[in-house]
Amino acid sequence: MEQRMPQVIIDLDTGNEVDDVFALARVLLDSSVNVTSINATHWQTSHWAIPETMENSHRLNQQLLGVMGIKKKTNRGALARMYDWGDKAQHSAAAYEIINQAHSQKKGKKLNVIALGALTNVASALFIDGGISGKIKVYWLGSTYDFDKEVFGLTDFNSTMDVPSLQFLLHSQVEMHILPVNVARALRVEYDGLGDKFKPNDLGAYLMNRWDNHLDPLRESRILWDVALVQAFLHPEWTESVSVEMSKDNGGRNLRFYKYIDAERMIDDFEKAIINFKK
């Protein structure tokens, strides 16, 4: 049964923000997809980065699986962004996992890679083996896009964690679906309402504990950026996406951008998934 489901690799910087574990929990609870690997990526260029950011994310990925009582393959990813010259790739278990799974897809099928942080692991995989270009779909949270002025921006967190990786993918032929952060910001939730609903549940209590004890605690509300992309992937009917022709300096090809998300439906669905969790 799992072989017939869409295969998904989740690539995320779980240690960076609160929303990563929320998003990972949501996709793991969905019976319509087969999460084949959870890859950790770095966030080492952040101004508030802690030592060994990738290792921190890898540990949290495994911790969440323990809380949920789920067994999934987890991989360590790159320690830092791509290099500037020579062998630019960051060779890691995560990058080779993407390569191996891409080549294992049946003819006409593509591996789905949901990237919720820096694109280092994805771009490194493509740099190592360009043959996977037509065998993966990348869903990425990052960048900004002004749909009225047709202006693409690269100053958001996920872009600045590894601009060379982003540029490498923009200039490739890999299918990309991008949720810009100015669209994702619609998915804002309040602490009080969420905490009351989640804390009686083991998984919900774990998620709220992450909110309470993050490097940036005591927030009355948060934007669950990564949940927005996961929900857009799981429920494309709750989104509107458009084809955007990129400028020549950003690859000069057409990419899909999410222009609208139904944040209310996404939040309601997410809350129900966590509240109804049972090991």
Side-chain angles (χ1 to χ4, degrees):
M1 178 66 176
E2 284 192 345
Q3 290 181 347
R4 294 196 295 270
M5 296 177 185
Q7 292 188 327
V8 179
I9 288 179
I10 310 293
D11 194 278
L12 69 173
D13 54 349
T14 321
N16 164 51
E17 249 279 26
V18 169
D19 55 325
D20 296 79
V21 284
F22 283 66
L24 182 54
R26 175 64 192 92
V27 73
L28 287 171
L29 289 172
D30 201 281
S31 60
S32 68
V33 298
N34 177 23
V35 176
T36 52
S37 176
I38 302 168
N39 292 346
T41 192
H42 69 91
W43 44 288
Q44 55 92 31
T45 58
S46 168
H47 69 280
W48 63 355
I50 62 174
E52 299 181 339
T53 60
M54 182 281 297
E55 195 65 37
N56 172 248
S57 294
H58 181 64
R59 175 184 61 81
L60 288 170
N61 291 341
Q62 294 180 321
Q63 190 178 81
L64 178 66
L65 290 174
V67 170
M68 298 180 71
I70 294 175
K71 292 183 179 180
K72 292 287 180 182
K73 188 172 187 179
T74 59
N75 288 296
R76 291 177 169 87
L79 297 175
R81 70 176 180 84
M82 285 184 78
Y83 295 103
D84 299 316
W85 55 274
D87 183 358
K88 297 179 181 180
Q90 286 278 1
H91 293 258
S92 68
Y96 284 97
E97 185 72 31
I98 294 170
I99 293 170
N100 293 335
Q101 287 198 30
H103 283 302
S104 71
Q105 299 303 300
K106 293 183 178 179
K107 187 175 182 180
K109 298 290 185 180
K110 291 186 179 183
L111 172 69
N112 300 289
V113 181
I114 301 178
L116 301 173
L119 287 163
T120 313
N121 296 332
V122 185
S124 293
L126 183 64
F127 188 91
I128 295 166
D129 186 348
I132 68 170
S133 177
K135 297 181 179 183
I136 62 173
K137 295 181 187 178
V138 177
Y139 294 81
W140 179 59
L141 171 76
S143 77
T144 58
Y145 195 80
D146 186 321
F147 292 92
D148 293 325
K149 298 179 180 178
E150 300 182 342
V151 175
F152 181 61
L154 299 176
T155 58
D156 64 288
F157 186 92
N158 284 349
S159 295
T160 57
M161 288 304 100
D162 193 344
V163 174
S165 283
L166 173 55
Q167 287 291 334
F168 184 74
L169 284 170
L170 290 176
H171 286 266
S172 75
Q173 294 303 310
V174 169
E175 181 179 342
M176 292 186 72
H177 301 254
I178 298 174
L179 176 60
V181 297
N182 54 299
V183 176
R185 69 171 56 256
L187 206 79
R188 180 179 288 276
V189 297
E190 302 298 321
Y191 180 91
D192 288 341
L194 207 62
D196 293 342
K197 296 173 184 176
F198 280 12
K199 286 187 176 180
N201 176 301
D202 286 346
L203 174 59
Y206 173 80
L207 297 178
M208 297 314 294
N209 183 65
R210 175 67 179 157
W211 186 315
D212 292 337
N213 294 290
H214 182 253
L215 292 167
D216 181 25
L218 305 178
R219 289 280 194 96
E220 293 182 357
S221 66
R222 289 186 188 275
I223 299 171
L224 299 184
W225 313 93
D226 295 342
V227 174
L229 180 59
V230 164
Q231 292 285 52
F233 176 80
L234 295 174
H235 294 283
E237 71 276 14
W238 297 346
T239 72
E240 178 188 350
S241 67
V242 295
S243 178
V244 172
E245 184 177 353
M246 306 300 289
S247 61
K248 290 183 179 180
D249 58 325
N250 285 310
R253 64 189 179 107
N254 287 346
L255 303 177
R256 298 297 299 186
F257 278 77
Y258 292 100
K259 186 177 182 179
Y260 165 80
I261 59 172
D262 190 337
E264 185 175 346
R265 293 188 71 175
M266 289 181 173
I267 292 169
D268 181 63
D269 175 82
F270 168 70
E271 290 181 356
K272 288 177 180 176
I274 303 303
I275 292 168
N276 293 328
F277 165 77
K278 292 181 181 179
K279 266 191 181 179

